[in-house]
Structure formats: C-alpha cells, structure tokens
C-alpha cells in the first residue's frame, strides 16, 4: 500500500456523501461524473470495501461507508480551511517576515522606515536580523535580505535599489601627523583599519578617470566586523578607513573626517534587495519588498539626504 492516503479520493467521497449524488458532487467540484465515479471506485478498491449501495435511483452508504464518511468529511473541511487560509495569506498581508540586513545599514536606514510600514500593515510582523556576515538566506529561512556591494552570482532573486559610494577617509589630525597619501599604493605605508567581511578579501581596489588601477592590502592596529566600530578611532586620528556613505556620511558632512584620494575610487557597489527564488510569494513578503524598493531607490535616497 502507498505510504500516503488517497486524499483526493477521500475528499471526493466526502463531497458525494454531502451532496447525496455523484452528479451533484461532480458539478460542485467542477469535475466530470466519470472522474468522481472513478475516484470512489479507486478508494473502494484500495480499502477493499464497498462504500455505496447504488441503484439507478438511490444512493445509500454501506456500513463501511458510514464509518468512513465522518472522518472523510472532517478531512475535506480541514483541507478546505487550510487552502483558504493559505489563499488569504497570499492575498492579504498577514504574518511574519524574516529579514536579514547588515548591522549599521539596518539601524541607520531600515529601522527608521519600519514605523510607517508597521502602521500601514498592522497584521504583518517583522523579524529583523542584523549582521554584517552574509547569511544563508534560504538555509536560515529568511524571506528577504539586503546586500551591499557587488552581488555575486547566485540563485537568489535580486533587485538593485541604489548605488553605494565609498570614501577613503582620515581625520585632519592623522593627516597632519603622517601626511596625506596621494596614490593608493601609499596606503601600504599608513595605518589603516581593516573590515573583516570585505568582499575583496581585505584588499582595496582603486581606479581613476584615466582607467588606471591599483590594489593595496592596508594594515593597522584595528580590524572590525562592523564598519561603524572604527569611527571613534578614525576621528581620534589613529588611522585611515574606507567606508560606505551610510556609515561615514555624517562624519564627512560635519568635518570630523575628510575624504582623501579624491581622484581615485574603489569599485562602487550597490544596495540590493534579495529574495529566495520561487513564485508566488506571500502578500506579506511582496508588500515589504515593494515598500523597501520604493523607499530605498536611488531617487528616494537622494531626497532623504
């Protein structure tokens, strides 16, 4: 005997019992009468018992059919309820969305948006996971993720939201003491702060307008797994850092640090919204993805600044 019960046969049997007619059950289920009859016959053969006594004018349950009918009806009701609940989830935004976001970007950019979203969709809950490590979106059961930088090839579905400019920066006190590098290769002689999750394996890669390229592996006293952790040491004049706009923008604007190597740029990454493959997605996931896309697009980010 197959491991799984004949759920379809049981459901069709329950509908025949409910409608007291093969023909009416077929109409209700949008199936042919022959399909309904074959499903019941298949179930009878599987169980080794006749479920109906049938004549041209009358349909009556046998003892075996009577014993099975209550459980089959309950199975049909539960199946319909499960399907209706799943359909409602796919149409009405409701339920939990698990989201993985880099730490500082999540605190500075994503979390200020959440009050508006949660007020707009009161039946949606968010589990916000903050980490600069690249999480396994599919393996860890996340519905959405935000990735910053160059996006590697993967099976994930990605939406590019906005560019992300990086700046090589230092405090004026550091530059006065150690001098200002004018070429990326000079960074090898300077104290620099390293970032553990850099996609380019601790190397800083630069290009200039003339198309020249330069790569350097800077070193120094501090290595972090969150870019914001270097800000205090950076402002104190203890080294040079290369940081994205959302981390260093305020310190640049206030004059606490200044950009160096202005004729050179590291490869400009982007902010991406990533999702596991597969459609359709629940409404709760779609509305959050659309909300973030709207608020984190290039135009929206420029307006916020």
């Amino acid at each position: 005997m197959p491991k799984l019960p004949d759920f379809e046969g049981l459901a069709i049997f329950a509908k025949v019992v409910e409608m007291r007619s093969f023909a009416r059950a077929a109409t209700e289920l949008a199936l042919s009468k022959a399909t309904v009859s074959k499903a019941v016959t298949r179930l009878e053969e599987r169980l080794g018992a006749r479920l109906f006594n049938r004549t041209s004018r009358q349909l009556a349950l046998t003892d075996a059919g009577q014993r099975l009918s209550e459980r089959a009806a309950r199975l049909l009701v539960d199946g319909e309820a499960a399907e209706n609940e799943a359909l409602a989830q796919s149409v009405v935004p409701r339920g939990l969305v698990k989201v993985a976001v880099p730490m500082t970007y999540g605190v500075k950019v994503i979390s200020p948006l959440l009050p508006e979203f949660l007020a707009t969709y009161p039946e949606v809950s968010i589990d916000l996971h903050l980490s600069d490590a690249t999480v396994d979106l599919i393996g860890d059961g996340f519905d959405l993720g935000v990735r910053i930088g160059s996006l590697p090839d993967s099976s994930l579905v990605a939406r590019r939201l906005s560019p992300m400019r990086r700046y090589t920066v230092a405090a004026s006190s550091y530059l006065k003491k150690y001098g200002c590098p004018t070429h990326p290769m000079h960074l090898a002689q300077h104290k620099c702060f390293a970032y553990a999750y850099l996609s380019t394996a601790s190397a800083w890669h630069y290009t200039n307008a003339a198309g020249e390229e330069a790569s350097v592996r800077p070193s120094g006293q501090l290595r972090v797994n969150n870019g914001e952790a270097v800000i205090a040491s950076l402002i104190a004049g203890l080294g040079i850092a290369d940081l994205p706009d959302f981390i260093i923008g305020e310190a640049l604007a206030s004059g606490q640090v200044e950009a160096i190597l202005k004729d050179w740029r590291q490869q400009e990454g982007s902010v991406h919204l990533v999702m596991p493959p597969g459609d359709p997605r629940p409404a709760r996931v779609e509305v959050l993805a659309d909300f973030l896309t709207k608020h984190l697009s290039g135009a929206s980010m420029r307006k916020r600044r």
Side-chain angles (χ1 to χ4, degrees):
M1 179 180 289
K3 293 182 179 180
L4 286 175
D6 184 357
F7 291 111
E8 181 185 50
L10 289 165
I12 289 175
F13 166 69
K15 185 60 70 173
V16 172
V17 174
E18 178 188 339
M19 304 304 295
R20 299 181 182 179
S21 164
F22 277 72
R24 287 195 291 270
T27 301
E28 180 76 9
L29 296 170
L31 299 172
S32 69
K33 184 178 177 182
T35 299
V36 171
S37 181
K38 286 179 181 177
V40 173
T41 299
R42 183 179 72 238
L43 187 62
E44 289 177 326
E45 292 174 350
R46 179 186 175 102
L47 299 177
R50 194 168 68 253
L51 300 175
F52 292 104
N53 287 319
R54 288 171 263 187
T55 68
S56 58
R57 296 186 178 182
Q58 191 174 13
L59 183 68
L61 286 166
T62 63
D63 288 343
Q66 188 69 51
R67 289 193 297 271
L68 183 63
S69 62
E70 184 178 339
R71 289 193 175 186
R74 194 158 58 238
L75 178 67
L76 177 61
V77 169
D78 288 345
E80 289 174 338
E83 188 173 84
N84 289 335
E85 182 178 346
L87 287 170
Q89 290 279 357
S90 67
V91 175
V92 179
R94 181 186 298 120
L96 179 67
V97 185
K98 292 186 65 178
V99 187
V101 184
M103 177 71 72
T104 302
Y105 192 82
V107 172
K108 288 181 172 287
V109 180
I110 298 294
S111 63
L113 300 176
L114 295 185
E116 178 184 345
F117 177 84
L118 295 173
T120 304
Y121 299 100
E123 294 188 70
V124 177
S125 303
I126 294 176
D127 182 351
L128 187 63
H129 176 85
L130 300 174
S131 173
D132 284 355
T134 301
V135 301
D136 181 354
L137 218 64
I138 297 173
D140 293 335
F142 286 99
D143 300 295
L144 293 173
V146 172
R147 300 273 169 87
I148 299 173
S150 300
L151 199 64
D153 292 335
S154 74
S155 62
L156 299 176
V157 177
R159 296 183 189 177
R160 185 179 184 274
L161 301 180
S162 64
M164 182 53 65
R165 175 78 186 275
R166 299 184 66 87
Y167 298 90
T168 304
V169 296
S172 58
S173 59
Y174 177 90
L175 299 176
K176 287 177 182 177
K177 186 174 182 179
Y178 297 104
C180 183
T182 57
H183 190 281
M185 300 309 294
H186 296 163
L187 293 172
Q189 283 76 52
H190 283 266
K191 300 178 179 182
C192 300
F193 301 125
Y195 177 58
Y197 295 132
L198 195 65
S199 60
T200 53
S202 300
W204 297 359
H205 300 290
Y206 292 88
T207 58
N208 63 14
E212 296 177 275
E213 298 182 357
S215 296
V216 62
R217 292 182 182 274
S219 61
Q221 291 178 279
L222 183 61
R223 186 173 187 268
V224 298
N225 64 0
N226 175 262
E228 198 172 23
V230 307
I231 297 296
S233 297
L234 184 66
I235 292 173
L238 299 178
I240 295 173
D242 186 84
L243 295 167
D245 179 61
F246 67 91
I247 292 180
I248 201 59
E250 292 179 7
L252 270 173
S254 66
Q256 293 175 297
V257 298
E258 58 184 271
I260 61 174
L261 299 174
K262 293 181 181 180
D263 294 331
W264 295 82
R265 284 192 178 186
Q266 283 229 57
Q267 181 180 359
E268 187 173 272
S270 300
V271 180
H272 290 90
L273 188 69
V274 293
M275 294 171 281
D279 287 313
R281 293 185 179 83
R284 63 183 182 273
V285 176
E286 287 292 349
V287 294
L288 181 56
D290 291 344
F291 178 87
L292 294 176
T293 299
K294 175 183 175 182
H295 286 78
L296 300 178
S297 66
S300 297
M301 292 297 288
R302 286 192 294 272
K303 287 179 182 177
R304 292 177 65 206
R305 293 193 186 99

